[in-house]
Amino acid sequence: MKKFYLLIPVVILITIYFVSCSNSPVTSQKAPTSFYEGYNDDESAACMTLASLAYVNENNPVYMRDSLIVQLSNSNYETGGNWKLEWGPALTPDKANMLYVVKDTLKNPDMYAIAIRGTDWCFLTNIKEDILVYSMVPYTYSGNVNDSISEGASLGLSKILSLLDPLSHKTFLQYLTAIKRPIPSGKHDLFITGHSLGGALATVLTSWMLDNGMGHVFNIKSYTFAAPTVGNKGYVEHFNSIVNSAGAESHRVVNPRDIIPRFISEIDTILLKQYPTLLPLSIETAFFAMYSYFTYEGIYYHHVGEVRYLGQAIPGNCPSGSPSFDQYSCWVGFEHDHNTYLRLLNAPETNFYYAPCEMEQPDTTGLSSFIKTHRK
């Protein structure tokens, strides 16, 4: 019964996203010039572009690969048309999770990037990965029973590790293990990136790769964008430790007005500072209920590494006046949108087709018709 009450504010949050408007003009201020060690503006913008392209034709598997190749060849993007598709895009059997691997054709030794798609609201599996935060499960790869991640993140990790490239018929793990260490440099550079849920899964994939010895082959650099928190204090301490010991990098890039990367660990901050704008009473009540539940249950999420805050982004066409559901949902969608992140990174926006939502699994909740009505 307790979990049922928790789902009420979570469903409200999902509804906010569905009815949000994300094509508003933006006024932005360039991020401060003080960098955390290893952070690079050009790398960040290129990774955000690759994370954005993970949404290309997301509900049209027949044309997804060709569409992605065309988008990667676009020299006007921050990626400059230099990244070539190497593996994927691969989908889970239910088509909910997607991952692809690219290689920079200008770099020697080869430079790779793994991009993981964020939430596709057409699929119940993705929604489960987002909302299964009210329970934690052990992160078994650390060897410490006190290290835990959300049940949703654990589910997502297991799914992307089982992905199969439909063209080469190689699994994701077969492809990675076939890449040999370069001579004489010793390691390939490898970026792991994703936006939103994709950023959360990029976090756990980073730790999984380091825990499974792939830091010997790759110089791993994780760039996540708008990623919600995934683990408890034990997991975070383990994550930070293995990143440091492997000489890897982890950069958590956040639009400060985006509420998604503040879930679930900073709900109190959302309430206190009224992010991204004044909360209507109904939303404030739902968030307070969520915060109270996690506090009562003693479930505490923590951020990995350090955060890289971007500049400010203000939507230009959201409703004005007193706080309302429509106004708030418009702000939330705008601040979280992948193109808002690209603007704040002073990078060109991506522009591609969103295939209509076609849910292929039985839906007894009415969610399918709701999404088809409200999806942008």
Side-chain angles (χ1 to χ4, degrees), residues 259-279:
I259 67 172
I260 303 304
R262 297 186 184 277
F263 273 85
I264 291 293
S265 59
E266 296 183 62
I267 302 178
D268 54 338
T269 302
I270 296 173
L271 291 166
L272 180 64
K273 296 192 174 182
Q274 297 286 291
Y275 284 134
T277 186
L278 293 177
L279 279 70

Side-chain angles (χ1 to χ4, degrees), residues 204-240:
V204 293
L205 180 61
T206 297
S207 60
W208 181 91
M209 291 187 67
L210 292 173
D211 281 323
N212 284 273
M214 294 189 182
H216 297 298
V217 180
F218 300 106
N219 176 33
I220 295 176
K221 301 181 180 182
S222 174
Y223 279 87
T224 67
F225 304 88
T229 46
V230 298
N232 68 356
K233 184 178 180 181
Y235 170 76
V236 169
E237 290 175 348
H238 173 72
F239 180 95
N240 294 342

